[in-house]
Amino acid sequence: MSPGGAVEPPAVLLRGRVLYLTEDATLLSRQLAGEDLAFSPSDPAHRLRDDVSTDEITPGWVCFHRDEALGRFAYVGLTCRGPSGPARPVGEGAVLSGGFVASVAGRRRGKGSSREQAPYAERAAGIRLVVAESVERIYRQNCVNLGLLVTEDFSVLERVARGEPVPLEAFLLGADPITREIVQRGGLFAYNRARLRGETAPPRVATGPRAMTLAEKVLASRWVTDAVAGTTGVPAVEPGDTGFVATDLRFSHEYVTPMAAALFDAELGPDAPVADPGSVLLFRDHLTFLGEVMPAEHRARGLLTLAEALPRIQEEFARRKGIRLLGELPPADGRAAGSEAICHAEVLDAHALPGQVVVGSDSHTPQAGAVGCLAFGIGTSEVASALFTRDVRVTVPGTVRVELSGRLAPGVAAKDVMLALLAHPFVKGGGAIGTVLEYHGEGLAGLSVDERATLTNMAAEAGAFSAVVPPDAVTERFLVSARGLDPATARALCERCRPDPGAAYSSTLVLDLASLAPMVALPGDPGNGARLDALPGPVPVDIAYGGSCTGGKRSDMDMYAEVLRDGLARGRRVAAGVTFWIQFGSQRTRSYCRDRGYLELFEAAGVRTIEPGCGACIAAGPGVSTREEQVTVSAINRNFPGRSGPGKVYLASPYVVAASALAGRLAPFEPSVDAVPGRG
């Protein structure tokens, strides 16, 4: 009580040291060794690391752990500026033994993967407060769900340094009512149990009728108005409205499901049912080929054993809960058959429909937005909770309108469009964080659904909440040919799923497709986009990799095939010293390649094919680098340090990946006059 009898506002006392994630590796090493940094934001030597990704907080191999052991590995993948080049100054156990209570970074902290293992590792290492100039959406939400405090207010650190209590309100400024109550009730599950019992409810949406963007229309149609009765739908929503939306499909994969299952069982009991298990899918896709590439030192630490336990735990959970599992196929025709499909490929090809809400345990869930559904990634706690409630928490995001004019030149693809967008100052500076990218313009007409999926999939690299392409004639043809819908049904679905005329957009970006040239993203970040013809000199490559959810679709296979067919006609095969891997995104894609004669074409050109799975994209399959000096040109979506092995990774389109494999260096595809283009 205060002297006047008033109740003191709740506060938290954070006892411990502050760890500044500096660009300078030496400065960071000194902190880990026990020196407290007298941080000054105006001192250039104290510059903080921007773009700290979840891949750096917890590299892929760390995520084979799923408990407090994660605390030993916080930040072990963090790359900083060392005296003789890039360095990774954080060793195993360094943060855990350092007595740190707060961790501070620069802009766009937590970008990349939705893996909740990252904030879980920070919490297990003793971190209770996360500070940054800006924070990515999924990472922030994961932190809140785990009980970590998050703020962009650096003045809080002064109170921590003085050992003073910090008012809880300092971490709730601008927070929506649901987040506030989740913090007060002690977590997401506690809040949702109370909500489903009718003991609490989000504030009712008071937004009146208005013109809405596509995402807003979808959210309004699925808005939960009474969690107990299960009623949904409001006339309109606007950015900032907060509540829950009912989902049409929830999915997860073996990298995340075991932790989600443990949370579900711990909170509700092992016999608790999953809500509507028929609208849940589980996938074995991420670690299918891990055993072929795991380094000996990781095997020696028992990491392969840990990893191999993950799909078994998922299988058992699926059996107990009556959930469909798309797993690993048995060997056939003398070959390892791989996974049935990468989750994003399967959801887009066989499930997502215009106007639906789809959530998944992966930041690339927006891939399904290519057909006009609203698909977005969620963290592990939210996956577990959604299995219980069937709905998910949202704050209506703003929408960025992306106008695509003109038409792509031969040898230029949707991947080049995305790399150009990621390098745009608005996006690179964080302007798209938490928004929905809504694509428009005449340029879309020349892009298949598969190519559009590259634009929506890589919304994750922009930090966006999601991305959508309003359905059109291309969408209708896809629904008829790929899904077997009759034309009238496909047309009706598409026509009622478009933004309203006069809808308000937070920003508008305009990109002339005709002006684009082949691009690459320089090693380190997908936002490091550069025109291939602007590089200062030749860049020899050791590995070319075509695959993943982004680069393993049918249209991608068409592009690889187009380049290789043209090359063979000129007497060229994969260059000496280069290994070119092509990995199918699904069994459907593999069958497509078989039917079109691509398998024989790939073999004739010197390509090594890999059965479906995520593979090298997460350093879990052939195509991963093994030495720092190796250079990879890759069609995947991310090139964060260490994500696909220790080497340097250039991101590029399927055209550039295949052309570089033939040239032995980064190269554009320059088709011969009689080449036949194909985009799938």
Side-chain angles (χ1 to χ4, degrees):
M1 299 285 286
S2 66
V7 177
E8 293 283 358
V12 292
L13 184 60
L14 299 165
R15 298 186 183 277
R17 301 172 60 209
V18 176
L19 177 63
Y20 293 91
L21 303 179
T22 55
E23 278 193 355
D24 187 330
T26 301
L27 206 55
L28 183 51
S29 295
R30 282 162 43 190
Q31 295 178 73
L32 295 170
E35 178 181 327
D36 289 324
L37 178 64
F39 179 75
S40 172
S42 61
D43 187 342
H46 291 181
R47 182 177 175 84
L48 296 168
R49 253 296 311 273
D50 293 328
D51 303 312
V52 173
S53 70
T54 52
D55 290 78
E56 293 179 275
I57 299 172
T58 48
W61 60 269
V62 170
C63 299
F64 305 147
H65 295 279
R66 58 186 187 277
D67 53 23
E68 294 299 310
L70 285 162
R72 302 200 311 269
F73 306 103
Y75 312 129
V76 294
L78 187 69
T79 301
C80 301
R81 187 181 61 246
S84 56
R88 292 184 181 168
V90 184
E92 182 179 339
V95 179
L96 182 63
S97 63
F100 298 103
V101 72
S103 170
V104 187
R107 294 182 294 109
R108 300 193 65 181
R109 179 180 185 137
K111 69 187 299 186
S113 170
S114 59
R115 64 185 66 165
E116 197 163 323
Q117 290 96 331
Y120 193 105
E122 292 175 294
R123 189 186 72 172
I127 302 297
R128 292 295 177 268
L129 170 61
V130 167
V131 183
E133 294 174 34
S134 62
V135 181
E136 297 281 303
R137 178 192 68 86
I138 299 180
Y139 172 78
R140 177 190 289 274
Q141 208 147 295
N142 287 343
C143 286
V144 169
N145 291 338
L146 288 171
L148 289 171
L149 300 169
V150 185
T151 184
E152 286 93 7
D153 181 3
F154 278 59
S155 69
V156 167
L157 295 170
E158 299 171 10
R159 290 175 175 260
V160 174
R162 293 194 297 265
E164 298 175 0
V166 183
L168 189 61
E169 186 63 28
F171 308 106
L172 295 175
L173 293 174
D176 61 82
I178 296 175
T179 296
R180 286 176 172 272
E181 192 168 351
I182 288 173
V183 172
Q184 292 164 356
R185 287 184 178 269
L188 183 61
F189 263 98
Y191 173 84
N192 273 332
R193 280 195 293 265
R195 183 171 64 93
L196 293 187
R197 289 195 298 263
E199 298 171 4
T200 189
R204 291 190 177 276
V205 171
T207 300
R210 60 187 290 270
M212 291 185 288
T213 67
L214 177 52
E216 291 164 356
K217 290 181 73 172
V218 174
L219 290 174
S221 71
R222 295 292 194 272
W223 203 266
V224 175
T225 53
D226 188 325
V228 178
T231 55
T232 59
V234 294
V237 296
E238 64 182 355
D241 286 341
T242 301
F244 287 78
V245 293
T247 63
D248 295 280
L249 177 68
R250 296 153 287 164
F251 71 87
S252 183
H253 51 69
E254 83 273 29
Y255 217 16
V256 170
T257 306
M259 184 181 285
L263 288 169
F264 186 93
D265 288 347
E267 292 285 348
L268 303 172
D271 297 325
V274 163
D276 189 18
S279 64
V280 180
L281 292 174
L282 298 179
F283 292 87
R284 161 101 160 114
D285 61 358
H286 273 54
L287 307 177
T288 310
F289 297 98
L290 177 65
E292 296 186 22
V293 299
M294 179 174 279
E297 61 268 27
H298 286 178
R299 290 174 179 268
R301 298 178 61 165
L303 292 178
L304 185 58
T305 300
L306 285 174
E308 289 176 338
L310 298 180
R312 291 198 297 270
I313 294 169
Q314 179 175 248
E315 288 170 10
E316 193 272 337
F317 183 73
R319 181 191 56 76
R320 284 195 291 122
K321 304 302 181 183
I323 298 172
R324 181 185 174 191
L325 171 64
L326 285 87
E328 183 176 355
L329 296 180
D333 302 326
R335 61 181 177 87
S339 299
E340 291 187 56
I342 297 175
C343 51
H344 312 299
E346 175 68 14
V347 169
L348 175 59
D349 285 349
H351 297 279
L353 291 171
Q356 290 187 332
V357 171
V358 172
V359 295
S361 65
D362 194 294
S363 58
H364 293 108
T365 298
Q367 178 161 332
V371 292
C373 82
L374 186 63
F376 53 94
I378 56 177
T380 310
S381 295
E382 290 181 301
V383 169
S385 184
L387 293 175
F388 166 47
T389 67
R390 199 186 164 174
D391 58 22
V392 292
R393 171 174 53 128
V394 296
T395 296
V396 178
T399 299
V400 175
R401 185 181 179 102
V402 182
E403 287 281 349
L404 304 179
S405 64
R407 194 175 182 87
L408 294 174
V412 183
K415 185 63 166 286
D416 300 298
V417 179
M418 203 64 222
L419 294 181
L421 281 174
L422 294 175
H424 190 288
F426 175 82
V427 176
K428 195 172 177 67
I433 292 177
T435 68
V436 172
L437 303 180
E438 185 179 286
Y439 292 98
H440 289 270
E442 60 180 345
L444 284 171
L447 299 179
S448 67
V449 166
D450 272 1
E451 280 281 77
R452 296 173 180 195
T454 298
L455 302 181
T456 55
N457 174 294
M458 291 188 67
E461 279 59 62
F465 174 82
S466 188
V468 290
V469 179
D472 59 8
V474 174
T475 319
E476 290 180 26
R477 289 195 295 270
F478 171 83
L479 294 176
V480 172
S481 62
R483 297 292 187 75
L485 272 63
D486 66 84
T489 301
R491 186 173 304 111
L493 275 173
C494 293
E495 286 179 349
R496 67 168 178 256
C497 188
R498 288 172 185 153
D500 293 327
Y505 294 89
S506 59
S507 299
T508 298
L509 301 178
V510 179
L511 193 62
D512 178 12
L513 301 189
S515 70
L516 295 183
M519 300 276 294
V520 292
L522 306 181
D525 194 280
N528 294 339
R531 285 175 60 115
L532 187 53
D533 58 14
L535 297 184
V539 179
V541 300
D542 303 289
I543 300 169
Y545 176 78
S548 82
C549 55
T550 314
K553 307 181 298 299
R554 290 173 296 260
S555 68
D556 304 314
M557 299 297 152
D558 290 334
M559 286 183 260
Y560 302 132
E562 183 182 346
V563 177
L564 295 172
R565 185 182 295 114
D566 182 80
L568 287 172
R570 303 187 196 192
R572 302 172 64 193
R573 300 177 75 253
V574 174
V578 176
T579 305
F580 185 10
W581 302 91
I582 291 180
Q583 185 164 22
F584 313 108
S586 68
Q587 295 294 337
R588 284 187 182 85
T589 299
R590 189 187 190 284
S591 296
Y592 175 84
C593 290
R594 180 199 62 213
D595 295 343
R596 296 190 67 143
Y598 290 170
L599 300 183
E600 293 81 5
L601 172 64
F602 294 162
E603 182 178 8
V607 174
R608 302 177 68 175
T609 58
I610 318 170
E611 301 308 316
C614 293
C617 183
I618 54 167
V624 68
S625 63
T626 57
R627 305 185 308 277
E628 290 185 7
E629 64 271 19
Q630 286 181 308
V631 173
T632 299
V633 58
S634 180
I636 64 176
N637 39 47
R638 290 182 179 143
N639 59 346
F640 297 133
R643 180 175 174 88
S644 296
K648 297 179 176 64
V649 177
Y650 290 79
L651 299 183
S653 75
Y655 282 133
V656 171
V657 169
S660 300
L662 297 183
R665 55 177 172 77
L666 292 182
F669 173 46
E670 297 172 338
S672 57
V673 175
D674 58 348
V676 179
R679 288 193 191 278

